[in-house]
Amino acid sequence: MSSKISLTRYLVEQQRVDGLIPSQLRLLLEVVARACKGISQAVNKGALGGVLGTAGTENVQGEVQKKLDIIANEVLIEANEWGGHLAAMASEEMDSIYVVPNRYPQGEYLLLFDPLDGSSNIDVNVSIGTIFSVLKKPEGLAGVTEADFLQAGAKQVAAGYCVYGPQTTLVLTVGDGVAMFTLDREQGSFVLTQENVRIPEDTQEFAINMSNMRHWDAPVKRYIDECLAGKEGPRGKDFNMRWIASMVADVHRILTRGGVFMYPWDKREPEKPGKLRLMYEANPMSWLIEQAGGAATNGRQRILDIAPTKLHERVSVMLGSKNEVERVTSYHLKL
Ligand code: AHM
Ligand code: MG
């Protein structure tokens, strides 16, 4: 790349040339990126900043909150509430929606986020991230309620994540492909480092938490057994495995070099459709994956077509290289 293109310039050009980004949405994305820079700073300080360890509280899903889960949530709320671009926010770490206070102007967008994904990796210095999804508030109604958020992932107008790893990288789609921006710490800005990200349709790498194998459903077991059988098995090729336990980092690897990621329903808690959250994790990641030529299903159905019934809904997730996702989906549908 001859001259550096900042996130700001990228968004302005998308707005100007393609008309894809109305100015309120552009502002929103810039503010989210700024918040991610702040979270990245806190993550980098680690023990020196006193940000490691648990906060001693639980979120609505009964998970123990880490200090950084709460810090990241606050950074996102504070950065976004006053700009006039949002009507309300929803977070994996908050019981109910956060309506923009009356003292600020209300905008037309809804922002959803998993403020700190991969919480179990915070204290061990492994990549973690922030995942976000943007919806439009349905027209015609005054005020905003939880029901306004219950839109299928196909309705998203922007989605992305920021991974805090060896580099801090922001990955974004507004429905025109996927672009990646790397944080230039000297300049304090995100710089475009890859456009038109494409995921190879085939792969020899899968990501799943193998310790849950005995709890899986038959189609997932069949798929993984066939991968493990390698060259001598029905697939006729060897597979490699990776599991980072940070969805952001696993998805980032898949966007970079292909692969398939699965967090399927399992028998540990049969009443739950899965571990991951539809609105904060599965929807934004599925749209990014599809925009890069991959596929994302819950084993039976395209994730982006699922009509949510509650804010903190969980879902089974299979996403990544198209042919592999289609294969494991066909095993579920017995095609
Ligand atoms: P979190 O948002 O509380 O961090 O939970 C989601 C994470 C994903 O990033 C990751 O894929 C998964 O949970 C790992 O789960 P497990 O520890 O069961 O392997
Ligand atoms: Mg998460």
Side-chain angles (χ1 to χ4, degrees):
M1 219 167 289
S2 51
S3 71
K4 284 185 175 180
I5 297 177
S6 66
L7 175 67
T8 302
R9 178 170 163 190
Y10 175 86
L11 294 174
V12 167
E13 285 176 355
Q14 288 264 350
Q15 181 181 3
R16 194 183 293 148
V17 179
D18 303 326
L20 270 169
I21 310 184
S23 54
Q24 274 206 0
L25 182 57
R26 180 165 70 79
L27 175 63
L28 189 165
L29 294 172
E30 294 233 39
V31 174
V32 169
R34 200 182 315 134
C36 289
K37 269 190 261 176
I39 299 169
S40 175
Q41 287 286 107
V43 168
N44 277 191
K45 284 189 185 137
L48 297 177
V51 297
L52 303 185
T54 57
T57 47
E58 278 189 1
N59 67 14
V60 64
Q61 294 142 87
E63 297 162 341
V64 173
Q65 291 178 304
K66 295 282 172 62
K67 284 184 193 162
L68 264 175
D69 287 323
I70 293 174
I71 293 168
N73 197 65
E74 279 167 6
V75 169
L76 282 156
I77 299 268
E78 277 167 22
N80 280 286
E81 67 178 351
W82 51 268
H85 50 280
L86 281 182
M89 293 176 250
S91 160
E92 190 178 302
E93 300 301 338
M94 298 190 295
D95 297 8
S96 44
I97 64 168
Y98 179 92
V99 178
V100 168
N102 282 337
R103 61 184 181 278
Y104 303 121
Q106 289 230 345
E108 55 185 332
Y109 291 101
L110 305 172
L111 175 64
L112 301 95
F113 44 83
D114 176 356
L116 218 288
D117 178 63
S119 306
S120 72
N121 281 324
I122 295 172
D123 295 348
V124 292
N125 201 1
V126 171
S127 296
I128 48 183
T130 298
I131 310 173
F132 61 93
S133 161
V134 185
L135 294 165
K136 251 189 132 172
K137 181 170 120 48
E139 276 170 26
L141 294 169
V144 55
T145 65
E146 192 167 308
D148 295 331
F149 284 80
L150 303 182
Q151 304 180 40
K155 293 272 178 64
Q156 292 171 105
V157 294
Y161 64 80
C162 187
V163 59
Y164 314 114
Q167 305 106 43
T168 288
T169 308
L170 183 86
V171 179
L172 178 69
T173 186
V174 288
D176 184 30
V178 176
M180 294 188 179
F181 304 83
T182 305
L183 181 60
D184 179 336
R185 288 193 189 275
E186 279 90 64
Q187 299 294 324
S189 61
F190 282 102
V191 175
L192 181 65
T193 40
Q194 209 187 334
E195 254 185 306
N196 301 320
V197 173
R198 300 305 291 171
I199 303 173
E201 291 191 355
D202 291 299
T203 183
Q204 289 177 234
E205 196 162 67
F206 66 85
I208 193 165
N209 185 336
M210 292 288 287
S211 70
N212 298 323
M213 187 181 235
R214 69 191 186 286
H215 306 296
W216 294 338
D217 219 357
V220 175
K221 179 108 178 29
R222 174 183 169 193
Y223 175 81
I224 296 296
D225 280 348
E226 289 179 359
C227 292
L228 294 175
K231 262 202 192 93
E232 295 74 34
R235 303 297 308 275
K237 57 183 185 179
D238 291 333
F239 279 77
N240 186 24
M241 193 199 90
R242 287 286 185 276
W243 183 250
I244 302 174
S246 287
M247 189 191 199
V248 269
D250 279 313
V251 167
H252 194 67
R253 183 188 61 256
I254 289 171
L255 284 171
T256 305
R257 69 176 189 211
V260 60
F261 168 97
M262 287 185 267
Y263 210 122
W265 170 91
D266 68 44
K267 294 184 194 108
R268 283 173 299 169
E269 292 182 284
E271 68 291 351
K272 286 189 186 154
K275 173 181 180 181
L276 299 177
R277 269 69 36 148
L278 176 63
M279 308 292 288
Y280 317 110
E281 293 166 326
N283 274 343
M285 292 311 204
S286 296
W287 199 28
L288 286 164
I289 292 285
E290 284 197 5
Q291 282 290 311
T297 75
N298 65 357
R300 294 183 165 77
Q301 182 187 7
R302 183 182 175 228
I303 284 178
L304 295 181
D305 287 337
I306 296 174
T309 56
K310 55 182 185 190
L311 204 52
H312 297 292
E313 185 161 329
R314 295 177 188 251
V315 66
S316 171
V317 176
M318 294 158 208
L319 56 76
S321 291
K322 203 164 185 267
N323 291 338
E324 295 301 310
V325 174
E326 282 176 1
R327 175 182 284 268
V328 69
T329 303
S330 76
Y331 291 180
H332 283 79
L333 299 172
K334 299 200 176 60
L335 297 177

mmCIF file of all heavy atoms in Angstrom, residues 235-253:
data_model
loop_
_atom_site.group_PDB
_atom_site.id
_atom_site.type_symbol
_atom_site.label_atom_id
_atom_site.label_comp_id
_atom_site.label_asym_id
_atom_site.label_seq_id
_atom_site.Cartn_x
_atom_site.Cartn_y
_atom_site.Cartn_z
ATOM 1 N N ARG A 235 -12.181 -38.662 4.330
ATOM 2 C CA ARG A 235 -11.836 -37.360 3.754
ATOM 3 C C ARG A 235 -10.571 -37.426 2.906
ATOM 4 O O ARG A 235 -10.311 -36.540 2.100
ATOM 5 C CB ARG A 235 -11.669 -36.292 4.861
ATOM 6 C CG ARG A 235 -12.865 -36.075 5.772
ATOM 7 C CD ARG A 235 -14.093 -35.564 5.014
ATOM 8 N NE ARG A 235 -13.824 -34.395 4.201
ATOM 9 C CZ ARG A 235 -13.851 -33.145 4.639
ATOM 10 N NH1 ARG A 235 -14.164 -32.907 5.897
ATOM 11 N NH2 ARG A 235 -13.601 -32.136 3.821
ATOM 12 N N GLY A 236 -9.746 -38.428 3.134
ATOM 13 C CA GLY A 236 -8.542 -38.606 2.326
ATOM 14 C C GLY A 236 -7.494 -37.527 2.517
ATOM 15 O O GLY A 236 -6.621 -37.325 1.670
ATOM 16 N N LYS A 237 -7.558 -36.790 3.606
ATOM 17 C CA LYS A 237 -6.528 -35.781 3.884
ATOM 18 C C LYS A 237 -6.393 -35.575 5.389
ATOM 19 O O LYS A 237 -7.335 -35.820 6.144
ATOM 20 C CB LYS A 237 -6.834 -34.456 3.166
ATOM 21 C CG LYS A 237 -8.190 -33.842 3.485
ATOM 22 C CD LYS A 237 -8.427 -32.570 2.665
ATOM 23 C CE LYS A 237 -9.726 -31.888 3.063
ATOM 24 N NZ LYS A 237 -9.994 -30.659 2.335
ATOM 25 N N ASP A 238 -5.223 -35.115 5.796
ATOM 26 C CA ASP A 238 -4.982 -34.856 7.216
ATOM 27 C C ASP A 238 -5.524 -33.484 7.602
ATOM 28 O O ASP A 238 -5.466 -32.544 6.802
ATOM 29 C CB ASP A 238 -3.477 -34.905 7.520
ATOM 30 C CG ASP A 238 -2.935 -36.318 7.393
ATOM 31 O OD1 ASP A 238 -3.723 -37.268 7.587
ATOM 32 O OD2 ASP A 238 -1.737 -36.464 7.081
ATOM 33 N N PHE A 239 -6.028 -33.385 8.813
ATOM 34 C CA PHE A 239 -6.513 -32.103 9.346
ATOM 35 C C PHE A 239 -5.656 -31.661 10.532
ATOM 36 O O PHE A 239 -5.130 -32.485 11.286
ATOM 37 C CB PHE A 239 -7.980 -32.220 9.800
ATOM 38 C CG PHE A 239 -8.961 -32.114 8.666
ATOM 39 C CD1 PHE A 239 -9.168 -33.196 7.810
ATOM 40 C CD2 PHE A 239 -9.668 -30.947 8.431
ATOM 41 C CE1 PHE A 239 -10.068 -33.111 6.754
ATOM 42 C CE2 PHE A 239 -10.566 -30.849 7.380
ATOM 43 C CZ PHE A 239 -10.766 -31.938 6.533
ATOM 44 N N ASN A 240 -5.575 -30.348 10.689
ATOM 45 C CA ASN A 240 -4.883 -29.748 11.823
ATOM 46 C C ASN A 240 -5.954 -29.171 12.758
ATOM 47 O O ASN A 240 -7.074 -28.894 12.321
ATOM 48 C CB ASN A 240 -3.971 -28.631 11.294
ATOM 49 C CG ASN A 240 -3.093 -28.034 12.362
ATOM 50 O OD1 ASN A 240 -2.803 -28.664 13.372
ATOM 51 N ND2 ASN A 240 -2.683 -26.792 12.153
ATOM 52 N N MET A 241 -5.621 -28.978 14.030
ATOM 53 C CA MET A 241 -6.599 -28.409 14.950
ATOM 54 C C MET A 241 -6.027 -27.209 15.689
ATOM 55 O O MET A 241 -4.848 -27.178 16.014
ATOM 56 C CB MET A 241 -7.015 -29.461 15.982
ATOM 57 C CG MET A 241 -8.242 -29.046 16.756
ATOM 58 S SD MET A 241 -8.463 -29.961 18.311
ATOM 59 C CE MET A 241 -7.564 -28.916 19.436
ATOM 60 N N ARG A 242 -6.890 -26.197 15.931
ATOM 61 C CA ARG A 242 -6.545 -25.044 16.765
ATOM 62 C C ARG A 242 -7.754 -24.731 17.638
ATOM 63 O O ARG A 242 -8.885 -24.828 17.165
ATOM 64 C CB ARG A 242 -6.241 -23.810 15.906
ATOM 65 C CG ARG A 242 -4.936 -23.846 15.171
ATOM 66 C CD ARG A 242 -3.779 -23.621 16.131
ATOM 67 N NE ARG A 242 -2.496 -23.537 15.443
ATOM 68 C CZ ARG A 242 -1.765 -24.588 15.084
ATOM 69 N NH1 ARG A 242 -2.213 -25.798 15.310
ATOM 70 N NH2 ARG A 242 -0.598 -24.416 14.484
ATOM 71 N N TRP A 243 -7.530 -24.372 18.881
ATOM 72 C CA TRP A 243 -8.637 -23.895 19.729
ATOM 73 C C TRP A 243 -8.053 -22.865 20.692
ATOM 74 O O TRP A 243 -7.313 -23.213 21.617
ATOM 75 C CB TRP A 243 -9.313 -25.039 20.507
ATOM 76 C CG TRP A 243 -10.487 -24.569 21.332
ATOM 77 C CD1 TRP A 243 -10.563 -24.487 22.703
ATOM 78 C CD2 TRP A 243 -11.755 -24.110 20.844
ATOM 79 N NE1 TRP A 243 -11.805 -24.001 23.082
ATOM 80 C CE2 TRP A 243 -12.556 -23.763 21.960
ATOM 81 C CE3 TRP A 243 -12.299 -23.944 19.559
ATOM 82 C CZ2 TRP A 243 -13.855 -23.269 21.842
ATOM 83 C CZ3 TRP A 243 -13.591 -23.459 19.448
ATOM 84 C CH2 TRP A 243 -14.355 -23.136 20.569
ATOM 85 N N ILE A 244 -8.395 -21.582 20.449
ATOM 86 C CA ILE A 244 -7.805 -20.522 21.271
ATOM 87 C C ILE A 244 -8.692 -20.215 22.477
ATOM 88 O O ILE A 244 -8.218 -19.709 23.480
ATOM 89 C CB ILE A 244 -7.563 -19.255 20.413
ATOM 90 C CG1 ILE A 244 -6.651 -19.599 19.223
ATOM 91 C CG2 ILE A 244 -6.913 -18.146 21.240
ATOM 92 C CD1 ILE A 244 -6.450 -18.492 18.220
ATOM 93 N N ALA A 245 -9.983 -20.569 22.356
ATOM 94 C CA ALA A 245 -10.969 -20.262 23.410
ATOM 95 C C ALA A 245 -11.262 -18.772 23.512
ATOM 96 O O ALA A 245 -11.756 -18.295 24.524
ATOM 97 C CB ALA A 245 -10.588 -20.846 24.766
ATOM 98 N N SER A 246 -10.905 -18.029 22.460
ATOM 99 C CA SER A 246 -11.380 -16.656 22.245
ATOM 100 C C SER A 246 -11.971 -16.677 20.845
ATOM 101 O O SER A 246 -11.230 -16.828 19.866
ATOM 102 C CB SER A 246 -10.239 -15.644 22.224
ATOM 103 O OG SER A 246 -9.710 -15.432 23.491
ATOM 104 N N MET A 247 -13.283 -16.530 20.743
ATOM 105 C CA MET A 247 -13.898 -16.600 19.425
ATOM 106 C C MET A 247 -13.275 -15.566 18.480
ATOM 107 O O MET A 247 -13.054 -15.834 17.307
ATOM 108 C CB MET A 247 -15.394 -16.369 19.546
ATOM 109 C CG MET A 247 -16.130 -16.630 18.262
ATOM 110 S SD MET A 247 -17.826 -16.044 18.372
ATOM 111 C CE MET A 247 -18.582 -16.959 17.052
ATOM 112 N N VAL A 248 -13.007 -14.386 18.986
ATOM 113 C CA VAL A 248 -12.395 -13.343 18.139
ATOM 114 C C VAL A 248 -11.103 -13.838 17.504
ATOM 115 O O VAL A 248 -10.874 -13.610 16.316
ATOM 116 C CB VAL A 248 -12.048 -12.021 18.890
ATOM 117 C CG1 VAL A 248 -13.151 -11.038 18.842
ATOM 118 C CG2 VAL A 248 -11.534 -12.251 20.260
ATOM 119 N N ALA A 249 -10.269 -14.496 18.297
ATOM 120 C CA ALA A 249 -8.970 -14.933 17.773
ATOM 121 C C ALA A 249 -9.149 -16.104 16.806
ATOM 122 O O ALA A 249 -8.470 -16.175 15.764
ATOM 123 C CB ALA A 249 -8.051 -15.308 18.923
ATOM 124 N N ASP A 250 -10.078 -17.019 17.121
ATOM 125 C CA ASP A 250 -10.328 -18.136 16.204
ATOM 126 C C ASP A 250 -10.920 -17.638 14.887
ATOM 127 O O ASP A 250 -10.527 -18.084 13.802
ATOM 128 C CB ASP A 250 -11.250 -19.172 16.872
ATOM 129 C CG ASP A 250 -10.486 -20.116 17.812
ATOM 130 O OD1 ASP A 250 -9.434 -20.639 17.420
ATOM 131 O OD2 ASP A 250 -10.948 -20.319 18.958
ATOM 132 N N VAL A 251 -11.850 -16.696 14.965
ATOM 133 C CA VAL A 251 -12.448 -16.158 13.730
ATOM 134 C C VAL A 251 -11.411 -15.350 12.943
ATOM 135 O O VAL A 251 -11.370 -15.413 11.713
ATOM 136 C CB VAL A 251 -13.703 -15.306 14.061
ATOM 137 C CG1 VAL A 251 -14.149 -14.492 12.853
ATOM 138 C CG2 VAL A 251 -14.845 -16.203 14.533
ATOM 139 N N HIS A 252 -10.551 -14.654 13.666
ATOM 140 C CA HIS A 252 -9.520 -13.874 12.965
ATOM 141 C C HIS A 252 -8.584 -14.800 12.163
ATOM 142 O O HIS A 252 -8.227 -14.505 11.026
ATOM 143 C CB HIS A 252 -8.722 -13.038 13.969
ATOM 144 C CG HIS A 252 -7.894 -11.989 13.311
ATOM 145 N ND1 HIS A 252 -8.445 -10.912 12.647
ATOM 146 C CD2 HIS A 252 -6.552 -11.859 13.150
ATOM 147 C CE1 HIS A 252 -7.482 -10.174 12.134
ATOM 148 N NE2 HIS A 252 -6.327 -10.730 12.422
ATOM 149 N N ARG A 253 -8.247 -15.935 12.758
ATOM 150 C CA ARG A 253 -7.405 -16.892 12.029
ATOM 151 C C ARG A 253 -8.144 -17.405 10.791
ATOM 152 O O ARG A 253 -7.559 -17.507 9.711
ATOM 153 C CB ARG A 253 -7.033 -18.071 12.944
ATOM 154 C CG ARG A 253 -6.090 -19.074 12.285
ATOM 155 C CD ARG A 253 -5.879 -20.331 13.109
ATOM 156 N NE ARG A 253 -7.126 -21.045 13.323
ATOM 157 C CZ ARG A 253 -7.811 -21.055 14.458
ATOM 158 N NH1 ARG A 253 -7.357 -20.413 15.517
ATOM 159 N NH2 ARG A 253 -8.953 -21.703 14.561
#
